[in-house]
Amino acid sequence: MWAASCLASCCAACACDACRTVVSGISRRSARIAYCGLFALSLIVSWILREVAAPLMEKIPWINHFHKTPDREWFETDAVLRVSLGNFLFFTILAIFMIGVKNQKDPRDNMHHGGWMMKVICWCILVILMFFIPNEIINLYEASSKFGSGLFLLVQVVLLLDFVHGWNDKWVGYDEQFWYMALLVVSLVCYVATFSFSGLLFYLFVPSGQDCGLNTFFIVMTLILVVLFAIVTLHPSVGGSILPASVISLYCIYLCYSGLASEPRDYECNGLHKHSKAVSTGTLAIGLLTTVLSVVYSAVRAGSSTTLLSPPSSPRAGAGKPLLPLDKAAAEEERDEKEKSKPVTYSYSFFHLIFSLASMYSAMILTGWSTSVGESGKLVDVGWPSVWVRIVTGWATAALFLWSLVAPIIFPDREF
């Protein structure tokens, strides 16, 4: 018994030292990766609790205070929302605290990049505390998450449009025949992929002998938008480039596929899964991994971007520069001071805000947008709400892209 106790103490000490070593090894460059890891961990915890926490939550009196115990799916959804709320509060608090950080000399810069042991502890405490709050607060957060998820998807679309236009401007800016040929080749590849993909959609989601008018409408509507992109782009008044139109076309057809693939497994027009309700653990894991990667990538790209928030202004060059060389210690001190005075490369507040919105979005896709989990067969991002979210996102992408083309013509005195 004594030996076992000593062994357990040694293992615990080693584990604590290992965790301390990991968090202390997070540098300025790897801080964003660490936030991504923490966010991904929250999604994994949400998924695990969705599968195993229902029996335990049924016994908690302030959660299960109903006269008639709800279905298991209600507790699964409630567990995901509580973890998501803790994650949302964690990143929201950081977003508020980091407002106004303009250079690395600000003490909050060190807090953004360091203090990871305390951050992990605070995150755990927040998530645990969420299981002690009343259901009314969770219901309010559930309603708010649908709005926040829409904002997150809108940010995704804006960033995509900015990326595509920036890509096109960069290659055109080289003003060389090679890059013009590259633009043409990439555009042709995107269009070939778009129309090939559309044929695959008809094959998978409009099977013969079935009345699949809704799926047909979704696919045909997307193709009409693709053609409209090309017509507006090539119009003499617009004088746009075909590259952004081709990339957005491919993205819209992908969103159409993503929406159709989210249809319930027992829907007769969903030929992707051949009406099979049996889903292996490996399929569930792949679905969760895909969701985690997509959400984390979007959050990092949005949070690290200066598209929606301009970067802070740089300090005046040469300010405080000595006229004569100083000794080594003074020179090192001056160098450290200059290093701290460097402007931050992205908005810390906006970075955490995007993770807050991503927390809401991840809760929605893990719960089928807060509908019955049983409807989606306990899968990730499956159900009719997911279908309509994907389709409407595609239409919003098309509307914003067309607006980016015609806005300079309608308002010639404004910069877009």
Side-chain angles (χ1 to χ4, degrees):
M1 181 67 69
W2 179 81
S5 177
C6 289
L7 181 61
S9 299
C10 292
C11 291
C14 292
C16 291
D17 290 339
C19 292
R20 191 179 298 109
T21 301
V22 170
V23 297
S24 62
I26 298 175
S27 64
R28 172 178 295 274
R29 294 181 179 180
S30 59
R32 279 180 285 184
I33 299 177
Y35 283 115
C36 294
L38 186 60
F39 180 77
L41 176 63
S42 71
L43 298 189
I44 296 174
V45 171
S46 298
W47 183 45
I48 294 175
L49 291 181
R50 192 189 76 169
E51 302 299 321
V52 304
L56 297 176
M57 295 179 65
E58 291 178 3
K59 300 177 182 179
I60 300 177
W62 57 85
I63 294 180
N64 185 13
H65 58 76
F66 307 99
H67 296 294
K68 181 180 179 181
T69 300
D71 296 335
R72 178 185 176 91
E73 288 78 9
W74 185 90
F75 293 100
E76 293 172 344
T77 299
D78 192 70
V80 173
L81 290 172
R82 289 177 184 272
V83 175
S84 173
L85 178 57
N87 206 46
F88 169 80
L89 290 176
F90 175 79
F91 284 108
T92 301
I93 292 172
L94 285 176
I96 295 174
F97 190 74
M98 295 296 169
I99 293 177
V101 178
K102 296 183 178 181
N103 56 60
Q104 298 176 11
K105 195 174 182 179
D106 194 310
R108 292 174 294 175
D109 179 82
N110 292 330
M111 298 186 66
H112 174 74
H113 294 98
W116 282 99
M117 180 63 75
M118 184 59 65
K119 287 177 184 176
V120 172
I121 293 174
C122 292
W123 178 82
C124 293
I125 292 175
L126 280 173
V127 171
I128 293 173
L129 285 178
M130 294 306 102
F131 287 85
F132 292 91
I133 63 177
N135 293 331
E136 289 74 15
I137 297 179
I138 301 300
N139 294 335
L140 178 62
Y141 175 70
E142 175 186 348
S144 303
S145 293
K146 296 177 181 179
F147 177 74
S149 300
L151 289 179
F152 179 75
L153 291 174
L154 181 61
V155 169
Q156 280 186 310
V157 173
V158 173
L159 289 170
L160 175 65
L161 293 175
D162 177 73
F163 169 76
V164 172
H165 285 297
W167 179 12
N168 177 79
D169 293 341
K170 184 177 181 179
W171 283 14
V172 171
Y174 291 134
D175 196 19
E176 296 179 4
Q177 185 177 2
F178 172 80
W179 295 106
Y180 289 123
M181 291 298 299
L183 283 173
L184 179 61
V185 170
V186 173
S187 301
L188 289 177
V189 169
C190 289
Y191 273 121
V192 170
T194 298
F195 289 105
S196 300
F197 207 7
S198 64
L200 182 63
L201 294 186
F202 278 110
Y203 174 76
L204 291 175
F205 300 104
V206 189
S208 60
Q210 301 291 342
D211 184 13
C212 302
L214 182 61
N215 287 1
T216 302
F217 169 73
F218 288 155
I219 300 172
V220 172
M221 184 66 183
T222 304
L223 289 176
I224 292 175
L225 291 174
V226 168
V227 175
L228 185 61
F229 294 160
I231 293 175
V232 174
T233 298
L234 298 177
H235 194 276
S237 300
V238 175
S241 174
I242 200 66
L243 176 64
S246 64
V247 174
I248 297 299
S249 297
L250 183 59
Y251 180 67
C252 286
I253 204 70
Y254 163 75
L255 287 177
C256 183
Y257 161 78
S258 180
L260 295 176
S262 297
E263 292 176 339
R265 295 298 187 260
D266 56 355
Y267 183 49
E268 62 273 7
C269 293
N270 188 350
L272 186 62
H273 302 279
K274 299 180 179 179
H275 317 302
S276 175
K277 294 183 181 179
V279 182
S280 64
T281 304
T283 304
L284 285 172
I286 293 174
L288 178 65
L289 179 61
T290 303
T291 301
V292 169
L293 292 177
S294 63
V295 172
V296 167
Y297 171 79
S298 300
V300 173
R301 168 137 180 92
S304 304
S305 174
T306 57
T307 303
L308 301 181
L309 290 182
S310 301
S313 57
S314 302
R316 290 180 300 171
K321 185 176 180 180
L323 298 177
L324 297 176
L326 305 176
D327 57 20
K328 185 175 180 180
E332 290 181 356
E333 182 179 353
E334 181 192 3
R335 186 164 53 251
D336 293 340
E337 187 68 20
K338 287 183 177 181
E339 185 72 21
K340 291 180 180 179
S341 299
K342 287 183 178 180
V344 296
T345 57
Y346 61 97
S347 171
Y348 298 160
S349 180
F350 186 57
F351 176 81
H352 294 298
L353 178 61
I354 292 301
F355 273 104
S356 299
L357 297 178
S359 299
M360 292 181 165
Y361 176 69
S362 62
M364 292 295 99
I365 61 179
L366 284 173
T367 61
W369 293 81
S370 295
T371 58
S372 173
V373 181
E375 177 188 349
S376 61
K378 290 188 177 181
L379 297 178
V380 176
D381 201 16
V382 174
W384 285 111
S386 298
V387 174
W388 282 103
V389 167
R390 293 291 185 273
I391 297 299
V392 172
T393 301
W395 293 345
T397 302
L400 286 174
F401 175 67
L402 292 173
W403 173 251
S404 69
L405 295 177
V406 302
I409 301 175
I410 300 176
F411 303 101
D413 296 331
R414 296 189 60 182
E415 295 184 0
F416 292 90

